[in-house]
Amino acid sequence: MHIKKLFLMVISIIVVGCSADDSSNTTSYIGAGSEYSITFSDSSGTFDLTESDSSLAVSGTHTTLPSGFKKLTIGSVSGGGSGGPSVGDAAYGIDIPGVVFLLKPLEVGSEIIAMVTKGSCPTSDFSMNWIITSIDRGDKFSDSCHITSSARGTDALGTFSYTHSTQTGKLPKLFDICDNTVTENVNLGTISCSSGIGSPSEDTDAKMYLTLNGGSIVKLSADNQIIVGLPVNRISTLADMAGDYIGLVMVNETTTSNVYTVKATAETTGIFSFDEINPDSGDVISSNNVNGDATMVAINSPTDGFSTGTFKLDASSTNLEVSCMSNQNINDSGKNFIFCIGQDPFDVDNMVNMLLISK
């Protein structure tokens, strides 16, 4: 695998909110974009997954590995066309039951499959932080990033606010990867909502999948972009994020995406060490160069709930920019959730994402 297709921080796409039926011991999620849905039965150890665009239906068994990843083994397949999965194939995911499920795709060059259960339409004002998982075609992710003038890089993260009395949405702040303010107070218009799915009047093709814990996944009409939103959770100290994590890293390049399973340890000083691992054995993999360290320097920067710093790989001494949003004890689960965006170490015009969930 080419060394360029690497890295660390954050994955791509998702987040949060789901529903559980205690009577049948099941948990269900739905994903934006191609409308994936999955239901787990803990009592029988089985799952059922569907994808509407290709009429794919997959069933099989699931188990949680010692590494912390959930392994899905396919027992039956229908639909999906010639590129679909086969009986006996295995996929790997991460979840906080009732909160998040993120699935590493079976196909090479595919993006992470994000799952979220529909929440409900808002009944009061709320705000979120967000990070994007891809940029417009033709844009350069780090273009003009360090120029201290009107020129700024591509907006990659920011804030969202909703006013219930007028049912309107706004993006108060948009920042580039170097924390420069790109623009302010972008009006999304009136947000109509039904069954937890919102549609802003300024982009009627966009969908906002609102979650039960106050987050959102937003599917944009342009370039199949997806934005992940989390409730604003102010960080007290770098030690808030300390702990052991597992997660997924996605490199989103011009024509393809690559996803890697990783483990990470965050120290109280804000230093993260991360390594690609084999989810079955837990063994570290070094051949893809998805191993290194990140140092978070500033908390609540560029605004509350974000932290910023640099990272480098074991295979490269270059320090590059990274920004993360985090939510401690998300949805009272006892788990921390961290979602990051950074520069590709081998091509700063591309971006990487990483999602981490504490063990």
Side-chain angles (χ1 to χ4, degrees), residues 177-254:
I177 190 62
C178 296
D179 301 337
N180 297 309
T181 300
V182 177
T183 189
E184 298 179 283
N185 295 321
V186 176
N187 180 26
L188 300 178
T190 302
I191 298 178
S192 58
C193 184
S194 176
S195 300
I197 300 178
S199 180
S201 61
E202 293 301 303
D203 186 351
T204 56
D205 292 326
K207 285 187 178 181
M208 301 178 65
Y209 291 77
L210 301 168
T211 64
L212 298 176
N213 77 329
S216 178
I217 297 174
V218 182
K219 169 68 169 59
L220 301 181
S221 58
D223 293 333
N224 293 316
Q225 291 177 310
I226 293 178
I227 291 174
V228 177
L230 284 178
V232 177
N233 186 185
R234 183 174 174 81
I235 305 165
S236 298
T237 68
L238 287 169
D240 287 352
M241 293 179 283
D244 294 323
Y245 293 79
I246 56 174
L248 297 175
V249 169
M250 185 177 77
V251 181
N252 194 336
E253 300 193 43
T254 304

Side-chain angles (χ1 to χ4, degrees), residues 86-322:
S86 301
V87 172
D89 286 345
Y92 301 91
I94 312 169
D95 74 335
I96 301 174
V99 181
V100 169
F101 183 69
L102 187 70
L103 182 63
K104 182 182 186 297
L106 290 167
E107 299 86 0
V108 174
S110 297
E111 296 183 353
I112 291 170
I113 299 170
M115 303 282 185
V116 36
T117 294
K118 294 178 184 178
S120 56
C121 295
T123 57
S124 60
D125 297 352
F126 71 96
S127 60
M128 294 185 295
N129 290 331
W130 56 266
I131 286 177
I132 200 164
T133 64
S134 64
I135 59 177
D136 290 334
R137 294 188 182 97
D139 279 358
K140 294 182 177 181
F141 181 54
S142 302
D143 197 21
S144 304
C145 196
H146 291 287
I147 296 177
T148 56
S149 67
S150 58
R152 292 290 183 261
T154 299
D155 54 281
L157 57 150
T159 59
F160 168 86
S161 65
Y162 174 80
T163 302
H164 182 61
S165 60
T166 57
Q167 296 184 325
T168 55
K170 181 184 293 186
L171 302 175
K173 295 278 188 179
L174 290 81
F175 305 97
D176 67 18
I177 190 62
C178 296
D179 301 337
N180 297 309
T181 300
V182 177
T183 189
E184 298 179 283
N185 295 321
V186 176
N187 180 26
L188 300 178
T190 302
I191 298 178
S192 58
C193 184
S194 176
S195 300
I197 300 178
S199 180
S201 61
E202 293 301 303
D203 186 351
T204 56
D205 292 326
K207 285 187 178 181
M208 301 178 65
Y209 291 77
L210 301 168
T211 64
L212 298 176
N213 77 329
S216 178
I217 297 174
V218 182
K219 169 68 169 59
L220 301 181
S221 58
D223 293 333
N224 293 316
Q225 291 177 310
I226 293 178
I227 291 174
V228 177
L230 284 178
V232 177
N233 186 185
R234 183 174 174 81
I235 305 165
S236 298
T237 68
L238 287 169
D240 287 352
M241 293 179 283
D244 294 323
Y245 293 79
I246 56 174
L248 297 175
V249 169
M250 185 177 77
V251 181
N252 194 336
E253 300 193 43
T254 304
T255 59
T256 188
S257 300
N258 290 275
V259 180
Y260 306 93
T261 51
V262 297
K263 68 175 182 179
T265 298
E267 306 294 341
T268 56
T269 56
I271 297 176
F272 283 73
S273 59
F274 54 90
D275 291 288
E276 182 184 5
I277 64 169
N278 179 320
D280 285 299
S281 65
D283 294 340
V284 172
I285 298 170
S286 58
S287 57
N288 294 319
N289 295 323
V290 188
N291 311 287
D293 299 282
T295 301
M296 308 316 295
V297 176
I299 59 174
N300 300 309
S301 173
T303 188
D304 282 357
F306 286 99
S307 54
T308 58
T310 61
F311 76 93
K312 62 182 180 67
L313 300 178
D314 295 343
S316 171
S317 60
T318 303
N319 282 309
L320 293 172
E321 305 287 345
V322 64

